Amino acid sequence: MRVRPVSPEILVGELADLLICREPDSHLRVALDGASAAGPGALADALVDPLKALGRPTVRIDTADFLRPASLRLEFGRDNPDSYYMGWFDEAGLAREVLDPAGPGGSGRVLTRLWDAGVDRAAREPYRDLPPGAILLVSGPLLLGGGLGFDVTVHLEMSAAALARRTPPESAWTLPAFQRYADEVAPASFADVVVRVDDPRHPAMVLERS
């Protein structure tokens, strides 16, 4: 594997340049995939202003707002890695309310929040119409390999040791799910962009994959 170390600022700039060159006249659905410790949400947030400055309207989506109800997520306990891997996130809702409407032939009306996990009920967010050329930045874990309709995929990769080191103790129960994701889905083998973030302060772009 060959990598090119970059600063966080250069990473954001290069990703922004890449995204604005794609499908300028239609909506662009972008996955920023990675464990919380890898910082996919922070990277998505950092992209918003540069993309807007380059003339592309930007909409942020976080999969933390697309969880399944607690009765389904926690059916087998609060710290079950298999449940986290297979049934924590409402992928069907994300497709129905965001990715499909933003895709070719879609209505262009999306829901940016579906579920309020704090009160375990629908978020009651109003629908919004996407402006022409809008870029949707969808951040969260375990996004790839399940057939979700993304146009560009960015995977933030961490070694197992780095992920374990940077994951808070209260979330350590999720680590087997991420190992299973790496083994079964292998997102780093097919994502459009792969960034090594064993230390998120010093990312490295993967240039060649083994």
Side-chain angles (χ1 to χ4, degrees):
M1 178 184 295
R2 284 202 312 123
V3 300
R4 175 168 59 88
V6 293
S7 69
E9 294 76 17
I10 289 175
L11 173 62
V12 169
E14 292 192 1
L15 287 176
D17 288 341
L18 169 69
L19 296 178
I20 64 166
C21 293
R22 295 285 300 271
E23 306 293 341
D25 298 322
S26 61
H27 305 136
L28 189 68
R29 303 163 296 177
V30 181
L32 293 119
D33 172 63
S36 294
L43 178 57
D45 289 341
L47 282 165
V48 171
D49 286 342
L51 289 171
K52 288 182 178 179
L54 292 168
R56 295 296 293 268
T58 306
V59 177
R60 276 286 286 116
I61 306 288
D62 193 307
T63 58
D65 297 316
F66 284 81
L67 300 185
R68 300 176 77 201
S71 60
L72 300 176
R73 295 198 316 276
L74 309 179
E75 181 179 4
F76 299 104
R78 293 181 176 274
D79 55 0
N80 186 303
D82 292 330
S83 295
Y84 184 77
Y85 181 66
M86 296 295 294
W88 206 258
F89 301 97
D90 188 352
E91 293 186 351
L94 182 64
R96 181 183 68 249
E97 304 294 356
V98 178
L99 300 176
D100 292 347
S107 66
R109 297 183 74 243
V110 303
L111 198 62
T112 58
R113 296 178 67 238
L114 180 62
W115 197 255
D116 185 336
V119 294
D120 197 35
R121 68 182 185 194
R124 299 178 182 173
E125 193 85 2
Y127 284 88
R128 59 186 295 183
D129 293 316
L130 295 174
I135 294 178
L136 286 82
L137 300 174
V138 182
S139 65
L142 313 175
L143 280 173
L144 308 185
L148 291 173
F150 291 109
D151 304 303
V152 178
T153 55
V154 179
H155 175 62
L156 303 182
E157 184 182 34
M158 302 183 82
S159 68
L163 179 58
R165 187 170 62 250
R166 293 185 174 276
T167 297
E170 64 271 18
S171 299
W173 63 272
T174 64
L175 293 174
F178 288 110
Q179 187 59 57
R180 184 176 172 185
Y181 184 54
D183 293 340
E184 296 183 1
V185 178
S189 69
F190 63 86
D192 296 312
V193 178
V194 178
V195 185
R196 293 298 302 270
V197 288
D198 283 359
D199 183 346
R201 298 168 300 178
H202 303 286
M205 305 280 287
V206 176
L207 304 178
E208 292 182 359
R209 308 174 198 185
S210 56

